[in-house]
Structure formats: structure tokens, C-alpha cells
Amino acid sequence: MANVMDTLRERGFIKQTVYEDDLYKLLGEKRVTFYTGFDPTADSLHVGHFMQLIAMKHMQAAGHRPIILIGGGTAMIGDPTGKTDMRKMMTREIIDYHVECFKKQMSKFISFEGENAAVIVNNADWLLKLNYLEFIRDIGTHFSVNEMLRAKCFETRLERGLSFLEFNYMPMQGYDFLHLFKEYGCVLELGGDDQWSNILAGANLIRVKEKKPAYAMTFTLLTTSEGKKMGKTEKGALWLDENKTSPYEFYQYWRNVADTDVENCLKLLTFIPLDEIKELTKFNDERMNAAKEVLAFELTKLVHGTQKAADAQAQARAAFGGGGELPEKDVYVDNCTIINVLVAAGICQSNGEARRLIQQGGVSLNDGKVTDINMPVKDGDVVHKGKKVHVKINLK
């Protein structure tokens, strides 16, 4: 069995580990059950989650068994990591709906068949049944308040005031690891490096309480070469749900990343061999556009399928007219309907021409055909006139 830690390290995933030598030996000698947690705070995964799914695919391809933990229980508390304010409380019904949405999306990336088939669990199934007095006596005694207050995950919230509700998040997440250890033989938790304190707490809990080895591994966060988090657009997060971020918008995001970020994105987010990535990214001129197209196509294919990736690529090539940037128009209108925008942007010469073009099916907004002359246009939307005119609208 190939050692997956070599693969993850070569591609730039690994940020921190605990008992690294023992973990390396374990992953090279036997099948390991591991888990990654996902908080269902929205009805879709986003690009930050996507990187975790790719890491899980590498692990599963090397023969290890994934457990996908959906935080239906911990979401009722809210992860305070990196937050200046307490998260908005969600009802059980909303959380359950988000859990179902996650399951559908994750099935595109992780295999639920075969010898090392993935398992999806929801920590609401055990956390909501806990007796709190028993929990704080049995689990809470192993958590030092002094150490918790020094944890990175609480740092930002302490500046604004950390609630006792949120303070329970770390012991709850540590208990998740202990539960999965007992029920599934899970000995390794993976996650983003911003979760290091929480993940380490779970591994330590198992070692103290069960007197058996448990491990933690965190991955580098997906950032630009300037250190800014990737996956944010003018409209917000870059979602994996095509109803929130269309395949075209998804493709365009990766097609337009900075040249300095292309190699890192190809390593972390695709399965293209490293020697091919090196060849693709060896140029420091306009030839880097070919690598960007490969990146955009591969990621869109993984998320939305080959056909939608091909459609997005064809649409982007038409819009770019052979590789340039998408043209933009500053539009000054009070009533931002498609008919007014078409005229104000100079795409049509008159309201009459715009109306006829819409009625003939010649206008699209982003990925959708326009049928209503009063359809609203938002800042950053892309208007398409036929197959040759594609304009990004900047509302002023």
C-alpha cells in the first residue's frame, strides 16, 4: 500500500500532525479509519469544503476508510473558530435539511461502495441524547480551561466575548472523535488548520481516556499567494451547488485566478500528476492561460460533470474571444431591468431592439435564457447577446 502521507505532503496539503512518525508508519502498513467533520451551516458545500473532500479522496484511493461526520449536533452550538460574533442559531429542521443537501453533494467525490466504503454519520444522533451532568463529569474533567482559553480557535471570539454555549464546542468535538473511535475504530481526524486546537483535543481525549493511540492531521487552508482565503466572489462564497454558483461562474473563477496561484491550485484541487503540473506551469507569460483553462475545466468537471464543464469552457472561450479578459461595462440606470441594461450598456440600440431580441431568445443572463423584459440584473451579472457578445455588468 502506497503511503498517502507522501502524496499529501508532495502536493502541499499537510500543515500539522501529531505523533507524525507513528502515523506515517500506520498509514503505510494497514487500512486506517479516519474522519473529517463538516458543519451544516448552509444548504451547500463551498470551495473550502471541496479541498477537504479532495484530501479524503486521496486517503480513500490509498485504501483508507473515510467517515464523513456532519455536525448536526454541534451546529446547534456553532463553531466559534475565526468568528467575531456568535453564529446565528439554527433549528433542528433547518440543520436536518442541510445534512441531506451535503450528503447528495459528497456522493460525487467519495465512494460509498467497496471494501473501504465511506460512512456518513450525523453527530446529532449521539450528542442530542447526552446527559449533560454525566458529560461534564466524564468528559469535561479531561479539558483544562486554561489550555482552552489559549486555543487559537477561541482567539477572535475572546475579543468580543465568548459565550458559555460556544465554550462547549471543543469538548463536544472531542467527544465526537471518542465516539467514532469506539463505534468504528476511527483513529485519525483530518481538517483545516484553523481546526487544529479542536482536532488535537479529540486525539488527546482518546489517549487519556482510552489509553490508546489516536492521531490528528490538519491541512493548509486554500489561500492566494498573498495569503487571502480563496473561494470568495462578488456574490459571496463559491458554492458547489449550481443554483448558487452556476457552472459558468465556477469555471470563470478558476480561469481568472492569478498566475502565481495556478500551480498550487492544480496540486491541491486536482488529481493531475505532479510532473504534468510542473510542465503546465513552467511559463511566466501568456502561456499560463492554458494551465488556467486546465484548472478551470478539471475543477468544474469534478463538481458539475464533464458536459457542464465543456459547456462552461465553450462559453468562456466565446466570451474571451480567444483568451482575453471578459469585457465589462459600467451601467448607470435607476431601474436595473434587463431591457434597460441592454440599452444602457450599448448592447442594443433601443428598447425596441432589446425587446425583440429577448422575444427571439437571443439574450441570456449568466447561464439562464431571458424571457422577461423586466428580469432584474445584479451587479457582476454577465449578459450574453447571441453567441458572440458577452459583457459583465458593473452597476453604478
Side-chain angles (χ1 to χ4, degrees), residues 13 27 30 64 141 195 210 213 259 299 322 329 342 363 365:
F13 277 89
L27 289 170
K30 54 179 70 174
H64 306 294
T141 188
Q195 290 291 319
E210 300 297 314
D259 289 3
L299 294 190
K329 286 279 187 178
L342 284 169
V363 177
L365 186 64

Side-chain angles (χ1 to χ4, degrees), residues 96-283:
D96 287 346
Y97 172 68
H98 291 175
V99 168
E100 290 306 311
C101 293
F102 276 27
K103 285 181 180 178
K104 291 178 183 177
Q105 290 184 329
M106 288 173 173
S107 64
K108 295 180 181 179
F109 306 99
I110 306 298
S111 174
F112 294 91
E113 299 178 354
E115 198 175 27
N116 60 334
V119 177
I120 293 182
V121 296
N122 182 349
N123 66 9
D125 292 340
W126 57 86
L127 291 182
L128 297 184
K129 298 174 183 177
L130 283 177
N131 178 300
Y132 189 64
L133 283 177
E134 290 180 2
F135 177 79
I136 58 175
R137 282 174 60 91
D138 193 35
I139 303 299
T141 188
H142 299 294
F143 285 80
S144 162
V145 171
N146 290 345
E147 289 181 9
M148 289 174 68
L149 290 174
R150 288 195 294 268
K152 189 77 174 176
C153 61
F154 290 138
E155 186 176 54
T156 307
R157 289 291 290 117
L158 280 171
E159 297 172 5
R160 298 284 294 271
L162 179 72
S163 72
F164 181 68
L165 175 69
E166 297 167 287
F167 200 57
N168 281 267
Y169 190 88
M170 184 185 289
M172 290 287 187
Q173 185 169 327
Y175 183 77
D176 284 343
F177 197 172
L178 178 63
H179 176 86
L180 296 178
F181 174 84
K182 291 179 176 179
E183 295 295 319
Y184 297 93
C186 179
V187 297
L188 171 64
E189 182 179 357
L190 310 178
D193 197 53
D194 56 344
Q195 290 291 319
W196 174 246
S197 299
N198 291 326
I199 294 173
L200 188 60
N204 288 339
L205 178 63
I206 292 170
R207 286 177 173 265
V208 170
K209 193 163 178 57
E210 300 297 314
K211 310 298 182 187
K212 292 182 179 178
Y215 304 92
M217 182 190 299
T218 60
F219 302 128
T220 183
L221 301 179
L222 188 62
T223 60
T224 67
S225 55
E226 298 173 344
K228 296 178 181 179
K229 272 192 176 182
M230 297 189 77
K232 291 290 184 181
T233 69
E234 290 179 359
K235 297 181 180 180
L238 194 66
W239 301 100
L240 305 193
D241 183 344
E242 65 180 272
N243 295 313
K244 288 177 171 286
T245 300
S246 71
Y248 175 75
E249 291 171 315
F250 191 84
Y251 180 96
Q252 285 294 85
Y253 179 88
W254 301 109
R255 175 60 181 78
N256 290 325
V257 298
D259 289 3
T260 51
D261 296 323
V262 177
E263 182 178 6
N264 193 44
C265 288
L266 284 168
K267 287 180 177 179
L268 291 172
L269 301 176
T270 78
F271 296 92
I272 297 173
L274 292 175
D275 56 347
E276 290 184 30
I277 292 174
K278 185 176 181 180
E279 185 68 21
L280 277 168
T281 57
K282 67 181 181 181
F283 305 108

